[in-house]
């Protein structure tokens, strides 16, 4: 969380009058690390670019053993869900963002719809452990992945399986928009604690972020991509697609919103047969549409895709890496393949 990528929608702070970053590493204000030669490196916000690099170092500059975060007092949070046709959502995107509410997206390419989860400052005493979040988290963690895995395993015909998934998604839209809402929930309740080993309800995902000004065209193109891919290969994700609106964030070198605010397209699946091939095609689509990945949460990024998204940042990071780890003790094969 301190030196790598994380994903969530940016929250609008009424107190500060602006969107927060939505990335955990961006709120690191101090780090201590053991360097390749055993010396201690201490970095603070006053170190400027070095702190930006450390927030994106993925452990390649040294072993980080102490981190200091900037935090704030927990406050009540309101939540509601609204359904839009994808064209209506795309046409009104600027208006929706100007409403100064956190925007998480539930994407339904085969139903041509989007459900927006709005989160914003609430009022009154915080209601912890609310049933709304417990229900939502159970569906995300257990219910939906288990259903998707059962349907994929027991219903081989692609069109019949797709019909079942569509009806399940219609039900999820109804539940989201009619039931899951609250005025003073605890922000901590939305956190889902997953087991170290996923088991039967395990699922996987990937993520790319796209410039906010291009997102209306990109989401329409992505919906067409999903349908065309299903028509050609008989494969579609057996779980929801999701997305997030994230404010511009230059606090870390490999921030996926360094160039400006963005929204994401995140396919989610139980990892059934066909997922790997879909991801390869998805990555190509995203790179062609000016997407930016997260190194630790986007599956199968190629060297060319990484350099297209982060060319100048990779060069800058390598300068720091050669300085602080001249013997390549922390330079792992994953990043070597994508950086070189």
């Amino acid at each position: 969380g301190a030196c790598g990528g994380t994903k969530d929608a940016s929250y609008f702070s009424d107190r500060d009058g602006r969107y927060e970053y939505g990335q955990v590493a961006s709120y690191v204000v101090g780090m201590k690390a053991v360097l390749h030669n055993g010396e201690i490196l201490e970095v603070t916000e006053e170190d400027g670019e070095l702190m930006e690099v450390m927030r994106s170092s993925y452990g390649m500059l040294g072993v980080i053993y102490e981190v200091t975060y900037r935090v704030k007092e927990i406050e009540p949070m309101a939540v509601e869900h609204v359904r839009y046709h994808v064209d209506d959502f795309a046409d009104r995107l600027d208006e929706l963002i100007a409403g100064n509410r956190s925007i998480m997206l539930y994407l339904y390419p085969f139903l041509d719809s989007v459900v927006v989860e709005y989160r914003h400052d609430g009022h009154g005493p915080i209601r912890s452990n609310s049933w709304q979040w417990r229900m939502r988290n159970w569906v995300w963690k257990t219910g939906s992945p288990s259903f998707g895995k059962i349907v994929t395993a027991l219903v081989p015909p692609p069109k019949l399986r797709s019909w079942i998934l569509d009806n399940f998604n219609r039900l999820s839209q109804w539940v989201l928009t009619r039931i899951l809402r609250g005025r003073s929930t605890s922000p901590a309740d939305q956190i889902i604690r997953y087991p170290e080993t996923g088991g039967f309800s395990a699922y996987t995902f990937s993520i790319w972020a796209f410039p906010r000004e291009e997102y209306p065209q990109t989401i329409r193109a992505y919906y067409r991509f999903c349908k065309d891919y299903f028509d050609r290969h008989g494969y579609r994700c057996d779980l929801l697609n999701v997305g997030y609106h994230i404010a511009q964030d230059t606090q870390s070198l490999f921030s996926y919103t360094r160039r400006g605010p963005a929204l994401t397209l995140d396919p989610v699946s139980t990892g059934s047969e066909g997922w790997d091939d879909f991801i390869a095609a998805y990555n190509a689509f995203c790179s062609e549409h000016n997407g930016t990945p997260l190194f630790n949460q986007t599956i199968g990024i190629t060297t060319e895709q990484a350099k297209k998204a982060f060319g100048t940042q990779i060069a800058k990071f390598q300068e720091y890496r050669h300085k602080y780890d001249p013997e390549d003790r922390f330079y792992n094969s994953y990043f070597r393949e994508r950086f070189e």
Side-chain angles (χ1 to χ4, degrees), residues 20-279:
E20 297 170 353
Y21 294 126
Q23 301 181 61
V24 175
S26 300
Y27 291 96
V28 172
V29 297
M31 284 193 197
K32 293 180 182 179
V34 182
L35 298 180
H36 73 103
N37 57 3
E39 294 182 0
I40 302 300
L41 173 68
E42 186 169 356
V43 186
T44 68
E45 284 186 302
E46 285 67 38
D47 291 304
E49 189 175 75
L50 177 57
M51 176 57 89
E52 294 178 19
V53 175
M54 286 295 291
R55 290 176 179 137
S56 287
S57 63
Y58 290 94
M60 286 185 284
L61 300 189
V63 178
I64 298 171
Y65 68 91
E66 183 179 303
V67 180
T68 303
Y69 286 99
R70 175 175 289 110
V71 299
K72 70 173 188 178
E73 289 287 335
I74 193 168
E75 298 172 348
M77 182 178 72
V79 59
E80 62 179 318
H81 297 81
V82 180
R83 181 187 179 277
Y84 303 89
H85 187 278
V86 63
D87 289 330
D88 185 32
F89 169 79
D91 291 340
R92 296 176 59 190
L93 181 59
D94 289 341
E95 169 198 340
L96 301 182
I97 292 174
N100 294 337
R101 295 178 291 178
S102 172
I103 292 176
M104 176 185 173
L105 309 175
Y106 295 87
L107 307 175
Y108 302 87
F110 294 87
L111 299 178
D112 286 326
S113 58
V114 179
V115 172
V116 180
E117 180 177 285
Y118 292 111
R119 292 173 285 180
H120 54 94
D121 286 346
H123 303 283
I126 295 177
R127 294 174 54 244
S128 297
N129 199 31
S130 65
W131 67 266
Q132 292 97 330
W133 284 120
R134 283 188 283 123
M135 179 179 179
R136 180 260 210 180
N137 292 348
W138 179 86
V139 171
W140 258 115
K141 180 180 178 180
T142 305
S144 185
S146 297
F147 179 81
K149 186 162 291 186
I150 290 170
V151 170
T152 300
L154 299 183
V155 187
K159 290 186 177 180
L160 177 58
R161 184 169 65 244
S162 183
W163 179 82
I164 294 173
L165 293 173
D166 281 344
N167 281 284
F168 179 79
N169 287 337
R170 289 187 178 94
L171 174 62
S172 73
Q173 290 183 356
W174 187 89
V175 172
L176 285 168
T177 56
R178 304 293 178 86
I179 297 178
L180 294 185
R181 61 183 62 189
R183 296 181 179 179
S184 57
T185 70
S186 170
D189 286 349
Q190 66 185 310
I191 298 171
I192 302 176
R193 296 190 178 275
Y194 292 95
E196 292 186 11
T197 303
F200 184 79
S201 60
Y203 64 88
T204 185
F205 65 89
S206 197
I207 177 174
W208 287 71
F210 304 87
R212 188 169 79 185
E213 64 273 14
E214 299 175 16
Y215 196 76
Q217 295 74 36
T218 304
I219 188 174
R220 290 185 175 104
Y222 179 66
Y223 276 33
R224 291 193 298 270
F225 164 80
C226 291
K227 295 171 186 175
D228 291 344
Y229 192 90
F230 178 75
D231 289 340
R232 295 196 311 271
H233 303 284
Y235 178 87
R236 58 175 284 185
C237 294
D238 50 10
L239 298 179
L240 288 176
N241 290 246
V242 297
Y244 305 90
H245 165 245
I246 309 102
Q248 183 174 18
D249 182 0
T250 61
Q251 296 293 101
S252 60
L253 187 64
F254 292 133
S255 165
Y256 60 164
T257 60
R258 191 171 181 87
R259 289 172 290 185
L263 291 96
T264 69
L265 297 169
D266 311 15
V268 188
S269 168
T270 60
S272 57
E273 183 178 358
W275 168 250
D276 291 341
D277 292 336
F278 173 82
I279 283 297

Side-chain angles (χ1 to χ4, degrees), residues 4-24:
T6 53
K7 63 171 192 170
D8 197 1
S10 290
Y11 193 83
F12 188 85
S13 171
D14 288 343
R15 180 183 58 188
D16 299 331
R18 61 181 178 84
Y19 277 102
E20 297 170 353
Y21 294 126
Q23 301 181 61
V24 175

